[in-house]
Amino acid sequence: MGKPLRLVLVNDTERTVGALRDALLAAGFEVLAEVASAFELAEVVARLQPDAVIVDTDSPSRDVLEHIAVMHQDAPRPIVMFTGDGDEAHIRAAVRAGVTAYVVDGLTPARLKPVLDVAIARFDEERRLRDELADTRRQLADRKLIDRAKGLVMKRRGLGEDEAYQLLRRTAMARGVKLAEVARQLVEASELLG
């Protein structure tokens, strides 16, 4: 078995989270910190770098969701929220804030590991898809930039499309940079010179 998952536990309830902490420890998880307020969440997560965050709340407040969203933006982690609130609007708001799994009245020790495993797998898949989307967008932006630079070379040098592309490519290779970087420099210079 690998090393235990490292967790930060957020208590946003009036009751103590001792039973939840004990159940997490019994399931083989390591609880790095217990946070009494979501206000501390971003700082604690940045400092401790846990594998996941567990939030115990009666009902997710706007403040809690805002702090989760900030943490999710700065240091995304799988977030599992255990709550007694099954209101659809609260569920949607929690998911928009970055909650990976929203579990209503399901705080039983036997379910902890499977719920966390699913939340982590879902988080990893969403991250992979986000990275893939960002890469596709970057490639599309690079392609548009290269096409624009190619058009500039064609116009200024009187070259055909293939010849202009090959010139840009040779220039990139000679400079040891990516083709998109040469295209960006050419477009910027063209805009500067008018």
Side-chain angles (χ1 to χ4, degrees):
M1 183 173 162
K3 64 183 192 176
L5 285 177
R6 303 164 55 243
L7 308 173
V8 166
L9 181 55
V10 179
N11 181 17
D12 186 47
T13 67
E14 295 296 318
R15 64 186 182 279
T16 63
V17 292
L20 176 56
R21 181 191 58 245
D22 293 345
L24 289 166
L25 293 171
F29 298 106
E30 180 182 349
V31 178
L32 298 175
E34 292 179 37
V35 179
S37 165
F39 295 103
E40 307 169 54
L41 185 57
E43 184 274 324
V44 170
V45 167
R47 183 170 39 86
L48 298 178
Q49 299 291 308
D51 299 312
V53 174
I54 307 293
V55 179
D56 188 15
T57 183
D58 294 321
S59 179
S61 69
R62 190 180 80 219
D63 285 343
V64 167
L65 295 179
E66 285 176 7
H67 289 285
I68 287 172
V70 167
M71 184 222 68
H72 186 67
Q73 181 178 353
D74 296 340
R77 297 283 185 283
I79 302 168
V80 177
M81 182 174 283
F82 290 99
T83 181
D85 183 355
D87 180 82
E88 185 177 341
H90 291 153
I91 293 169
R92 291 183 182 280
V95 170
R96 276 194 306 276
V99 171
T100 313
Y102 189 97
V103 182
V104 179
D105 294 330
L107 189 55
T108 59
R111 291 186 59 201
L112 284 175
K113 182 164 179 9
V115 166
L116 272 161
D117 289 345
V118 169
I120 290 168
R122 180 174 175 230
F123 176 84
D124 289 344
E125 180 61 15
E126 286 176 359
R127 181 178 16 206
R128 185 191 67 74
L129 289 171
R130 278 191 306 271
D131 291 348
E132 189 177 295
L133 178 59
D135 188 49
T136 300
R137 285 180 173 162
R138 183 195 48 75
Q139 288 176 11
L140 181 59
D142 287 353
R143 174 58 33 211
K144 288 179 179 180
L145 196 58
I146 291 167
D147 285 345
R148 192 166 165 206
K150 194 169 45 173
L152 290 169
V153 170
M154 289 167 60
K155 182 177 178 183
R156 294 202 196 252
R157 294 270 186 107
L159 299 175
E161 187 175 349
D162 287 341
E163 295 166 313
Y165 178 80
Q166 290 304 322
L167 178 60
L168 289 169
R169 190 168 173 264
R170 282 193 306 272
T171 303
M173 290 173 66
R175 293 182 184 175
V177 297
K178 292 185 175 189
L179 181 58
E181 178 59 21
V182 169
R184 185 189 61 75
Q185 292 171 359
L186 180 62
V187 168
E188 286 176 357
S190 175
E191 289 172 352
L192 183 66
L193 299 173

